[in-house]
Amino acid sequence: MGKSRFYLGDVGNGAAMKLVVNMIMGSMMASFSEGLLLSEKVGLDPSILVEVISQGAISAPMYSMKGPSMVQSLYPTAFPLKHQQKVQNLPTRFIYWGIQYVS
């Protein structure tokens, strides 16, 4: 998550924060993937898109790190899909059922 430490209160809140961060990261990568494909479909060079993004307001280290391999259609496993699906679905379930996340 980073190099800083944050006091998050009750036991389990650290795990909840990690879940939220992972959910946001998954959404960012999905949007980034769609943007790369769209740039290619409209005739732009996706590798230049990665550079443009890296210098703008939406710059994120994840884009610079993963972007070049995604442009080349190389997708080394870093986080299994079954885990990402769990991360993406859990917050929705918690909200729907009114469950407070506790590890």
Side-chain angles (χ1 to χ4, degrees), residues 5-101:
R5 287 181 238 156
F6 299 91
Y7 177 75
L8 301 174
D10 295 337
V11 171
N13 285 350
M17 180 65 78
K18 181 171 175 42
L19 182 69
V20 171
V21 169
N22 284 348
M23 183 197 68
I24 292 169
M25 193 167 27
S27 298
M28 288 173 61
M29 288 308 294
S31 297
F32 184 56
S33 299
E34 289 182 19
L36 288 173
L37 181 60
L38 180 60
S39 71
E40 187 178 330
K41 295 291 182 185
V42 299
L44 298 172
D45 183 344
S47 60
I48 294 177
L49 174 65
V50 173
E51 288 184 54
V52 169
I53 287 173
S54 74
Q55 296 178 29
I58 63 168
S59 176
M62 184 175 55
Y63 296 147
S64 298
M65 185 173 63
K66 303 263 186 200
S69 64
M70 292 172 71
V71 168
Q72 297 174 19
S73 296
L74 300 173
Y75 302 98
T77 304
F79 193 72
L81 182 59
K82 67 181 180 179
H83 298 313
Q84 186 59 42
Q85 288 174 326
K86 177 184 80 170
V87 166
Q88 293 300 119
N89 291 329
L90 279 176
T92 304
R93 290 183 194 164
F94 294 148
I95 292 167
Y96 179 78
W97 292 106
I99 298 170
Q100 181 178 2
Y101 180 75

